[in-house]
Amino acid sequence: MVRVRFAPSPTGMLHVGALRDALFKSLFAQREGGQNVFRIEDTDRSRYNADSESEFVETLRWVGIEFDEGPHIGGPFAPYRQSERKEAGIYAPLAEELMARGHAYKAFETSAELDEMREFQQINKMPTGYFGGAWRDATPEQVDAAQAEGKPFVIRQRIPRDTKIVIDDVVRGRIEWDSNTVDDPVLIKADGMPTYHFAAMVDDHLMQITHILRGEEWISSAPKHALLFDAFGWERPIFCHCPVIVGSDGKKLSKRHGATRVLDYMAQGFFPHALKNFIALIGWSPGDDREAMTMPELIGAFELKGIQASPGRFDFEKLRWLNGNLIRSLTPQDILDAILELLDHPHAQAYWENFVDEPMPNQVPVDGKVVWSRLELIRTKFAEDPELVLAAIREEQPRVHTLVEFGEAVEFFLVDQPVMDEKAVSKWLTQPHVPALFAAIVANPPAPDLPEADIRNHYDAVLRAFAADNGFDKLGPVVHPTRVALTGKTVGPGLFELMAILGPERIAARLAKWL
RNA sequence: GCUCUGGUCGUCUAGCGGUUAGGACAUCGCCCUCUCACGGCGAAGAUCGCGGGUUCGAAUCCCGUCCGGAGUACCA
């Protein structure tokens, strides 16, 4: 039975890199019919953030990644928080056992002494790290004496000397180290808390984790971890070090590459599936040309051998394409539901209320409050005229990449008078035939109670007739002014389609000021 | 510095000794057309980081080299 674990440290928000981690594990577990465990690695008191765990749970729930066991759902290996496991006395006896077997020892250096040692190593261009210090080979008497003085101590792992350490990584194959280059890591800190090196490996064994999937930043400490399993006489899990996601400049993903917080993508109107589909494709491929995939397809195709060794860049444009692609496959009702859900999400509102756009040369900065109010207009208008809102969404679907973009795209359908693009006004509404054109449109409303398609054809005929009667051989001169007067813009859905949706009353009201 | 690790179109990738090096995003053009999109078609874009080998034949195997990245904490 395959068992994997997603074990973040609750120090802040759930970012894109962690999502990749969680997603790969989830896909792998599902593909193999295995289990996915959620564990909280809160062994660092100083970095602990009380809101972090709930953010993780909320984000994972939004994105649709589920677990079989975890602190929020329980399970046979509870507790799933390492701080609680420490209180339950899980780690200390195992550290004792390791010392009894000679694989660990107490070290009494102060952090000041350690700093000094590191500085010395750096100055002398030596490898930095604890390769023995004063305590690796201390006699029992020395240890007893130090302890009798009440000196604080840590427990360190005793890495064997003059040997080769080999691990077999699923992604990179055989990796080996000269054990003399691996220093003795701290297993138990002076406050009695285990370090990651100890707690994670102990828990992985105790929780029967079969595959350690994690980011490549862990490769360096993999030999320590492998040795720990060996020291206990435990079977080593399979190591699989995945490539990381980097920003557009090849450096570690950070805020300056756009959002790193997963919930911000929710706030921007991305679908969980688009995000998962996109993230899955960074660092992994199904082995063929498939890109836009359903969840069952992703799960069915997810094999460890499809994982890439090289880091991948986060290409925001491709995410947008995937999301737009998904939007186009949905019904207007699906989309509306998603917009309504977004409007109800407290984080989405907070995101836009506090949104501060980065200043860009010759570009009007985005006003988050305006973005949000446009979205709210969809909800309020839907309450009074659902047909109109759904039709508007249907027409804008091919043009939109995120849910939030519907706010701006659909606005002209919903307001009494659209916001006018002044350049478009001066170009199209100043032409001499415009008043006569608009008068003809207003004078020829469609018959009442016609189906939408017939209204569309009615306006098509009216405009074509006007064009023919006035010597225009193309539709442009009649279509463009009408579009500008009706929508305020030069771009948008087909004119006749949008006229059919607007209906004769709204059309007359909007054309009136140009007659 | 030391240790590990990576390197195919701008980006994500396919490729596993013999391919005109394939696809997707982005870019450009054409078609559709009332605009913008969508969709369709097409173009441009990769001497497979570089240099040596091995081989009849190398992106694919070997060695070296260069350039990235990660780790080098009583953080994870």
Side-chain angles (χ1 to χ4, degrees):
Chain A
M1 164 72 86
V2 162
R3 283 174 59 85
V4 292
R5 107 266 125 144
F6 175 59
S9 187
T11 56
M13 44 199 62
L14 181 57
H15 54 87
V16 169
L19 178 63
R20 193 287 323 266
D21 193 30
L23 178 63
F24 277 24
K25 286 161 181 168
S26 162
L27 290 174
F28 180 59
Q30 290 183 81
R31 150 84 192 195
E32 300 299 327
Q35 292 170 334
N36 193 192
V37 177
F38 186 37
R39 189 172 73 213
I40 293 291
E41 311 224 321
D42 53 348
T43 53
D44 185 357
R45 286 183 348 220
S46 62
R47 295 204 310 155
Y48 179 75
N49 176 331
D51 298 327
S52 192
E53 186 179 325
S54 57
E55 158 128 356
F56 289 171
V57 171
E58 187 191 348
T59 305
L60 263 0
R61 196 185 43 108
W62 172 73
V63 89
I65 290 178
E66 291 171 359
F67 295 90
D68 299 287
E69 300 164 27
H72 55 313
I73 44 184
F77 300 100
Y80 290 92
R81 289 185 195 90
Q82 288 181 332
S83 57
E84 294 171 15
R85 298 175 66 75
K86 186 256 178 185
E87 288 311 310
I90 288 171
Y91 305 112
L94 288 166
E96 290 295 334
E97 180 186 337
L98 226 40
M99 288 194 287
R101 289 169 176 236
H103 293 300
Y105 59 93
K106 290 175 181 167
F108 294 81
E109 283 92 352
T110 62
S111 39
E113 287 171 325
L114 256 16
D115 290 344
E116 204 174 301
M117 177 189 80
R118 199 171 305 119
E119 202 178 321
F120 176 84
Q121 290 167 330
Q122 279 164 355
I123 289 168
N124 293 285
K125 296 192 187 294
M126 295 159 70
T128 53
Y130 196 93
F131 290 95
W135 297 95
R136 178 179 161 111
D137 299 310
T139 62
E141 292 71 32
Q142 290 174 298
V143 174
D144 288 345
Q147 208 152 1
E149 284 178 47
K151 280 188 169 175
F153 63 91
V154 299
I155 299 175
R156 285 183 185 269
Q157 184 179 356
R158 180 181 275 118
I159 302 290
R161 292 291 161 243
D162 303 317
T163 180
K164 216 161 236 178
I165 309 167
V166 178
I167 71 160
D168 252 300
D169 185 83
V170 175
V171 176
R172 292 146 217 276
R174 179 189 167 96
I175 309 176
E176 52 174 71
W177 289 262
D178 175 344
S179 74
N180 295 337
T181 68
V182 179
D183 74 330
D184 290 354
V186 171
L187 265 18
I188 304 287
K189 307 178 208 179
D191 65 359
M193 272 290 194
T195 60
Y196 170 88
H197 299 302
F198 193 60
M201 297 309 114
V202 164
D203 287 343
D204 284 347
H205 174 258
L206 262 20
M207 295 180 179
Q208 299 173 12
I209 300 303
T210 57
H211 298 252
I212 297 186
L213 269 67
R214 51 169 27 168
E216 64 180 328
E217 69 270 23
W218 290 107
I219 294 177
S220 299
S221 34
K224 296 166 180 171
H225 301 158
L227 247 25
L228 213 41
F229 284 95
D230 297 351
F232 277 115
W234 297 337
E235 189 186 344
R236 275 147 70 150
I238 293 165
F239 287 100
C240 180
H241 290 96
C242 305
V244 293
I245 298 175
V246 297
S248 47
D249 56 1
K251 299 261 171 66
K252 201 169 166 183
L253 198 62
S254 70
K255 278 196 202 83
R256 57 182 311 280
H257 302 106
T260 53
R261 185 181 185 179
V262 173
L263 285 182
D264 286 352
Y265 288 89
M266 181 274 301
Q268 288 174 38
F270 287 95
F271 280 94
H273 182 258
L275 192 55
K276 284 191 284 188
N277 195 158
F278 170 66
I279 297 277
L281 260 17
I282 306 178
W284 172 81
S285 125
D288 51 42
D289 286 341
R290 284 179 293 168
E291 298 221 282
M293 298 169 76
T294 64
M295 224 40 220
E297 285 170 340
L298 244 17
I299 292 165
F302 194 85
E303 292 184 82
L304 261 25
K305 68 175 187 185
I307 297 177
Q308 203 77 14
S310 53
R313 294 179 198 228
F314 191 93
D315 181 2
F316 194 67
E317 286 308 316
K318 189 148 188 175
L319 204 213
R320 284 172 55 77
W321 170 72
L322 236 16
N323 206 58
N325 203 45
L326 184 56
I327 283 174
R328 271 170 255 129
S329 74
L330 265 20
T331 67
Q333 185 65 52
D334 290 337
I335 293 170
L336 181 81
D337 291 344
I339 291 172
L340 261 22
E341 206 178 306
L342 180 66
L343 280 163
D344 282 334
H345 201 115
H347 176 70
Q349 176 156 17
Y351 177 85
W352 289 110
E353 294 289 339
N354 302 317
F355 186 82
V356 181
D357 200 10
E358 270 187 52
M360 295 280 268
N362 27 312
Q363 224 179 79
V364 187
V366 173
D367 184 336
K369 292 185 176 65
V370 171
V371 170
W372 189 252
S373 66
R374 280 177 175 145
L375 226 40
E376 284 187 316
L377 180 63
I378 294 178
R379 174 163 56 192
T380 51
K381 276 291 170 182
F382 179 71
E384 55 190 71
D385 193 347
E387 295 293 312
L388 173 69
V389 172
L390 255 11
I393 288 174
R394 184 192 70 215
E395 286 305 318
E396 290 293 351
Q397 236 172 310
R399 241 169 308 279
V400 159
H401 293 95
T402 68
L403 290 174
V404 166
E405 284 174 13
F406 274 106
E408 186 176 3
V410 130
E411 184 182 36
F412 76 86
F413 278 110
L414 312 182
V415 294
D416 289 337
Q417 289 290 340
V419 181
M420 303 308 272
D421 170 353
E422 289 311 323
K423 271 177 72 181
V425 169
S426 55
K427 175 165 184 194
W428 293 106
L429 294 180
T430 52
Q431 299 194 0
H433 66 284
V434 164
L437 167 63
F438 290 180
I441 294 171
V442 174
N444 291 288
D449 301 323
L450 279 185
E452 189 181 314
D454 292 340
I455 303 177
R456 183 229 167 266
N457 292 335
H458 168 80
Y459 282 118
D460 189 331
V462 170
L463 280 265
R464 276 181 205 282
F466 183 90
D469 295 347
N470 291 272
F472 296 114
D473 55 346
K474 291 238 162 97
L475 238 32
V478 297
V479 161
H480 297 316
T482 313
R483 172 191 305 288
V484 173
L486 255 22
T487 72
K489 304 186 287 190
T490 55
V491 301
L495 180 67
F496 310 132
E497 285 73 14
L498 72 86
M499 288 176 89
I501 293 167
L502 252 18
E505 289 81 16
R506 288 194 192 84
I507 289 172
R510 293 180 193 199
L511 296 185
K513 53 199 267 205
W514 310 102
L515 282 171

